Amino acid sequence: EAILGTFIKPRPVIDYPKRLDGKHLHTSEIYNENVFSLKVMAKTLPKPVFASFLKQKRGRQKLDKYTADAVAHAARVWAMDRGATHFTHWFQPQNGTTAEKHDAFLTLLGVSLPTGEEAVPIDAFSGSQLLQSEPDASSFPSGGVRTTFEARGYTIWDTSSPMFIQDGPHGTSILYIPSVFISYDGFALDERTILLRSNEIINSAALQLLALIEPESHYNNITNTMGLEQEFFVVDRAMYSLRPDLKITGRTLIGNLPPRHQQLEDHYFGRIPSRVLQMISDFEIEALKVGIPLKTRHNEVGPAQFELAPSFEESSIAVDHNLLTMELLHKVAHRHGLRVLFHEKPFKGVNGSGKHCNWSLCSDRGDNFLDPTSRPENNYRFLIVLLAILKGINDYGPLLRASIACLANEHRLGAHEAPPAILSAFLGAQLNEVLDSIELDRPLRSFSVPQFQSIQVGGTILDLKVATLPAIHRDLTDRNRTSPFAFTGNKFEFRALGSKLSPSFTIAIINTVVAAAMLSIVEDFKAIKGDKPKLSDADKLTVIRKLIVETKRIRFEGDGYGQSWIDEATKRGLPIIKTSPEAFSHLNKEANIDMLVNKLGLFQKAELESRFIILNERYIKDLVIEGNTLTSIITQRILPAAFKYRKFLADSISTLKGIGADSSAETATLQKTDSLVSNLYKANQALDESVKYIEVQSPHAALEIEKLAYDANKHIFDKIEKVRYYTDALELCMADSEWPMPKYTELLLTL
Ligand code: ADP
Ligand code: MG
């Protein structure tokens, strides 16, 4: 009844924003309404201030005091017109979420004057408050950086990301200032700083490469574009509130699949349940207002699983918008009596949730470098960028694997639903044929697709010996959902990201490994160019051919979920990294440190070490929390329910025997319950002991922490599975009325 009480509560109806005449606003009119955008700045700032703001923003300089004061003033007036009472620096500490501390605009003038006069309350917001604030940083994960260097942390506005307002209490609002979070000595304590650095790194590497292959083009700036698709589950909040495992760990630690789940394949692109569609629509209104360019929404493969995708943007903005998407969905779902689950694998046996990183590079002229063109001469750039990505994956696959590693993602990777723990790339038949023909120096084989057959130069099928390239048709790219890194027509899609993970670190690693590959290609080109004024097409082909051969081992077109790929990858000598501690260990390898710290400067040495510690620590904590959650559920809920049920069976048997009735069914059930209960009891004890053993250790040095992460994996991971095994068997054998928590059927099939 308690469950139904919440379940049937009337849902709030939020009015879609309308004009005075009652007509719906167009989404383009809602878009950016709550953003202090360049357009708003142009309107509200004096012209010279706006011009100097733009100049400083483009040059990534810190704003001068005059400009900062003027921008702060305009932002406060704009925000207060929209009900703002507070402002907050909004940043991304290394705990996977965002952080904020609200500061009131209210300021008392004259409080410190010894005049005895009453202080005057005013609303104020200065340039220095806009630019920088000093939150108490000691409670964020730092992996030792702060203790080693300096205790204070600062948040500083990242002018590449606009300020925006979000709803506060009582119809008021709060001004958000997207910020980086660094220590006094300039050490990055957050995710955004690393991402911004990686953008600089890839910009510089790409410019050097392009200066060689297209000297006539004179690019000024190359940005990394990013479209982040987000998957998630939605469950009824009442059901959710009765599952401590979901509440504490984000996933169900026990539970059997209902007889019908996703096997009918009727969910993917099916109709979105109206209750969820209402919620999503409500979310979309809020998301559009803060400038999230939402594009698609659909049912995913699992029951109660959905996906949203925005249009792509510059990567740091795309990350802001992804984090906001998760926060807003969470908030809006609450209003609808629903709960959104971002965990990578909330339900065993059901499809897990990922976050797909669609990655490309774009010049200041707006051309996408991964867009193959029908003009062959432009495809040198396309092929070289493509091969730089393959080389990045080939040379630094384990780093990419480390960038997506966490406990939750371990349940998903390789579980026949997400790409396995092997980093490979899918290009599609057409591109493969292009690369093969260049490698083997033979003419292109014609394709069965009519457009492709018509690629001709001077009446014959192109012969690559003439050092020209074929036209490549984007629409001919086929799809392979089982590949972790897939070329999808005009971008690469990295699919191994977990749904909950903040994507900053992953994107930073992709940018940096591709930049490292580009710089090495730059060296190749320089060597071959010598004193010549420019590279010839034949020179370019020579390097292209070398890269094709070098990166061949990571190209894989087959089924990435099958055992045969694991066998094949082993033969090819590709790293197969199953656990997170194993993945993290690559962040601590000499060659990788050399690239990330010394050569490209993504991290300072202490930053990388601190990240290594934070990631391992987080892994240990997550496992300990899961272990403790499960043992408490077993001890306090499942076993007591089973004891009660056993007593009921035992009592029934003696009553039945007393009257001479047949008790064989009860006896058989009791025997089965008995054996499951004693096995469960033992498994639960063993898990409890392991968790306690891990919990009492207090490692300090990085290598000790790493070892403990391996130990935690070894001692806890499988024991959780074992406890689950007996519990799930018990669930199937006990009376439904005696089971102390909602089951998968209620969680997954009640929307
Ligand atoms: P699909 O996954 O079927 O390719 P879409 O073409 O709609 O679906 O793209 C998925 C995501 O890729 C969207 O978020 C989209 O904005 C993004 N995307 C498209 N082009 C680019 C690009 N050049 N750079 C980065 N992301 C892109
Ligand atoms: Mg996609």
Side-chain angles (χ1 to χ4, degrees):
E1 274 158 26
I3 298 175
L4 285 180
T6 322
F7 184 57
I8 56 176
K9 208 171 77 181
R11 324 229 192 295
V13 179
I14 305 288
D15 270 346
Y16 201 86
K18 292 198 176 104
R19 293 166 216 260
L20 287 178
D21 65 6
K23 293 202 172 115
H24 283 71
L25 280 181
H26 298 168
T27 42
S28 59
E29 294 167 311
I30 305 171
Y31 180 72
N32 251 2
E33 191 185 295
N34 288 345
V35 179
F36 193 59
S37 61
L38 286 179
K39 202 164 127 198
V40 177
M41 291 176 101
K43 273 195 221 155
T44 54
L45 286 170
K47 257 206 189 100
V49 176
F50 182 61
S52 88
F53 172 79
L54 277 187
K55 217 164 117 201
Q56 293 170 49
K57 172 174 141 75
R58 280 197 200 111
R60 303 216 178 237
Q61 281 165 274
K62 195 169 168 184
L63 298 186
D64 66 59
K65 183 163 171 10
Y66 178 76
T67 310
D69 278 335
V71 171
H73 176 77
R76 178 180 62 76
V77 171
W78 171 84
M80 285 181 63
D81 280 349
R82 286 155 182 78
T85 55
H86 291 69
F87 67 91
T88 179
H89 285 251
W90 180 67
F91 58 103
Q92 303 165 28
Q94 291 175 56
N95 60 10
T97 62
T98 60
E100 56 189 57
K101 175 193 169 198
H102 303 175
D103 245 308
F105 289 129
L106 176 69
T107 310
L108 294 185
L109 275 190
V111 196
S112 59
L113 294 179
T115 56
E117 279 172 46
E118 211 174 287
V120 183
I122 59 158
D123 295 295
F125 181 44
S126 69
S128 54
Q129 284 174 307
L130 161 64
L131 287 185
Q132 186 165 316
S133 104
E134 192 185 331
D136 176 10
S138 55
S139 298
F140 295 107
S142 75
V145 168
R146 255 191 328 269
T147 45
T148 327
F149 296 92
E150 159 66 47
R152 269 173 297 172
Y154 294 91
T155 51
I156 298 174
W157 180 29
D158 164 21
T159 52
S160 67
S161 201
M163 290 181 261
F164 57 92
I165 52 168
Q166 282 212 272
D167 291 347
H170 299 117
T172 63
S173 70
I174 300 150
L175 177 66
Y176 278 70
I177 307 166
S179 301
V180 295
F181 181 40
I182 56 175
S183 80
Y184 181 75
D185 302 281
F187 282 88
L189 298 170
D190 68 340
E191 302 289 356
R192 186 195 294 268
T193 308
I194 303 299
L195 178 61
L196 293 175
R197 273 187 208 155
S198 80
N199 285 337
E200 302 282 326
I201 291 170
I202 192 139
N203 177 34
S204 150
L207 287 176
Q208 290 178 53
L209 183 62
L210 290 162
L212 281 166
I213 56 177
E214 273 183 43
E216 60 290 348
S217 294
H218 304 292
Y219 296 102
N220 294 313
N221 193 34
I222 311 294
T223 41
N224 158 219
T225 52
M226 176 60 49
L228 289 161
E229 302 165 52
Q230 179 69 50
E231 293 176 347
F232 55 91
F233 280 84
V234 178
V235 294
D236 185 85
R237 192 149 58 87
M239 305 296 168
Y240 168 84
S241 67
L242 296 171
R243 292 285 309 217
D245 48 354
L246 267 185
K247 282 201 285 187
I248 300 171
T249 71
R251 76 176 179 112
T252 54
L253 297 172
I254 53 176
N256 289 289
L257 277 182
R260 176 172 74 77
H261 44 100
Q262 63 188 48
Q263 72 274 53
L264 300 181
E265 296 174 330
D266 54 352
H267 293 283
Y268 192 59
F269 285 9
R271 206 172 57 79
I272 303 176
S274 66
R275 190 177 174 200
V276 176
L277 192 54
Q278 279 282 350
M279 185 275 280
I280 290 181
S281 166
D282 214 3
F283 151 79
E284 282 170 343
I285 295 168
E286 298 214 13
L288 285 169
K289 282 187 190 166
V290 292
I292 305 175
L294 291 167
K295 198 78 180 153
T296 63
R297 54 187 190 209
H298 69 81
N299 258 7
E300 255 304 322
V301 172
Q305 192 187 24
F306 307 90
E307 180 186 303
L308 297 174
S311 295
F312 66 93
E313 302 174 278
E314 207 182 302
S315 59
S316 68
I317 313 259
V319 170
D320 280 1
H321 285 162
N322 177 254
L323 297 172
L324 272 174
T325 293
M326 294 199 280
E327 284 173 23
L328 288 173
L329 265 176
H330 180 82
K331 186 180 95 180
V332 173
H334 200 81
R335 291 209 292 260
H336 288 254
L338 296 167
R339 177 78 191 195
V340 178
L341 307 178
F342 290 111
H343 193 282
E344 280 71 5
K345 188 75 180 175
F347 302 100
K348 190 178 177 179
V350 177
N351 203 49
S353 299
K355 173 145 46 203
H356 297 173
C357 250
N358 292 275
W359 185 100
S360 190
L361 290 177
C362 177
S363 80
D364 40 330
R365 276 170 237 156
D367 40 355
N368 173 2
F369 289 180
L370 284 176
D371 212 349
T373 68
S374 49
R375 285 184 306 156
E377 63 280 11
N378 285 359
N379 280 335
Y380 282 108
R381 183 182 75 189
F382 167 75
L383 277 182
I384 291 166
V385 171
L386 182 91
L387 285 160
I389 295 165
L390 296 188
K391 184 169 165 56
I393 304 172
N394 181 65
D395 296 0
Y396 300 105
L399 281 183
L400 289 165
R401 174 68 182 83
S403 81
I404 50 132
C406 62
L407 176 63
N409 218 11
E410 247 165 60
H411 296 285
R412 189 177 147 257
L413 295 176
H416 276 255
E417 56 166 80
I422 308 164
L423 262 298
S424 64
F426 169 87
L427 296 181
Q430 181 203 193
L431 268 184
N432 262 307
E433 170 56 16
V434 170
L435 296 192
D436 287 347
S437 65
I438 299 174
E439 179 193 345
L440 303 171
D441 203 8
R442 63 158 168 75
L444 266 181
R445 287 211 185 95
S446 60
F447 271 64
S448 51
V449 188
Q451 279 161 292
F452 206 80
Q453 279 172 343
S454 68
I455 298 166
Q456 291 184 353
V457 171
T460 54
I461 292 280
L462 193 76
D463 180 349
L464 286 158
K465 277 190 195 126
V466 299
T468 34
L469 291 177
I472 299 167
H473 289 271
R474 176 183 162 185
D475 296 339
L476 292 190
T477 331
D478 32 13
R479 293 289 166 124
N480 177 335
R481 301 205 150 266
T482 69
S483 174
F485 226 109
F487 181 70
T488 50
N490 61 347
K491 61 190 182 290
F492 265 97
E493 185 169 346
F494 189 32
R495 298 209 184 97
L497 254 85
S499 46
K500 183 163 62 3
L501 213 66
S502 157
S504 300
F505 179 45
T506 314
I507 302 170
I509 293 290
I510 303 178
N511 286 346
T512 309
V513 303
V514 175
M518 284 179 166
L519 292 177
S520 139
I521 299 172
V522 163
E523 292 311 313
D524 290 347
F525 276 135
K526 280 187 180 156
I528 210 168
K529 177 168 163 276
D531 295 334
K532 288 183 284 182
K534 71 190 259 220
L535 291 164
S536 68
D537 287 352
D539 291 340
K540 292 179 197 165
L541 263 183
T542 307
V543 172
I544 287 176
R545 196 169 286 129
K546 172 178 165 262
L547 289 167
I548 292 173
V549 174
E550 198 185 319
T551 59
K552 205 172 170 181
R553 64 173 191 150
I554 58 138
R555 273 158 56 197
F556 179 64
E557 302 288 306
D559 177 8
Y561 297 173
Q563 178 61 35
S564 59
W565 170 225
I566 297 179
D567 301 339
E568 168 69 16
T570 313
K571 249 187 260 156
R572 295 189 189 181
L574 292 175
I576 302 176
I577 302 168
K578 292 207 175 108
T579 70
S580 305
E582 210 182 327
F584 298 146
S585 71
H586 289 273
L587 294 172
N588 208 20
K589 293 234 154 90
E590 215 40 64
N592 292 332
I593 296 176
D594 190 48
M595 188 276 283
L596 293 171
V597 176
N598 306 332
K599 295 217 175 83
L600 291 179
L602 180 66
F603 293 103
Q604 308 189 50
K605 184 127 201 306
E607 289 169 348
L608 182 56
E609 185 169 308
S610 96
R611 184 169 289 263
F612 173 72
I613 291 174
I614 291 171
L615 287 168
N616 277 300
E617 274 179 351
R618 179 62 192 257
Y619 183 80
I620 300 164
K621 286 178 190 165
D622 281 345
L623 259 177
V624 165
I625 290 171
E626 282 202 353
N628 278 330
T629 306
L630 185 55
T631 55
S632 70
I633 290 174
I634 300 303
T635 312
Q636 296 164 26
R637 297 190 182 215
I638 304 297
L639 284 175
F643 295 157
K644 201 171 141 203
Y645 185 57
R646 239 175 11 167
K647 180 169 184 312
F648 158 76
L649 287 173
D651 290 349
S652 311
I653 293 167
S654 66
T655 310
L656 289 169
K657 279 198 175 142
I659 56 168
D662 174 17
S663 63
S664 55
E666 284 82 353
T667 307
T669 311
L670 179 61
Q671 274 164 0
K672 199 167 166 201
T673 313
D674 259 349
S675 108
L676 288 173
V677 165
S678 51
N679 280 325
L680 174 59
Y681 183 79
K682 273 184 243 149
N684 193 46
Q685 283 302 97
L687 172 62
D688 194 37
E689 273 160 32
S690 290
V691 174
K692 292 211 169 94
Y693 165 76
I694 298 295
E695 228 173 356
V696 295
Q697 321 263 342
S698 48
H700 293 292
L703 290 180
E704 286 169 28
I705 295 170
E706 180 185 32
K707 181 173 178 301
L708 189 61
Y710 275 100
D711 278 355
N713 173 279
K714 194 169 108 202
H715 292 293
I716 302 181
F717 198 94
D718 290 343
K719 292 201 177 99
I720 288 179
E721 284 309 300
K722 196 160 178 196
V723 169
R724 177 179 198 137
Y725 174 81
Y726 292 122
T727 313
D728 288 354
L730 201 55
E731 181 197 314
L732 295 180
C733 141
M734 270 173 56
D736 188 51
S737 58
E738 298 305 312
W739 197 250
M741 295 184 337
K743 298 179 177 176
Y744 273 23
T745 309
E746 283 100 41
L747 286 165
L748 288 169
L749 304 175
T750 17
L751 285 176

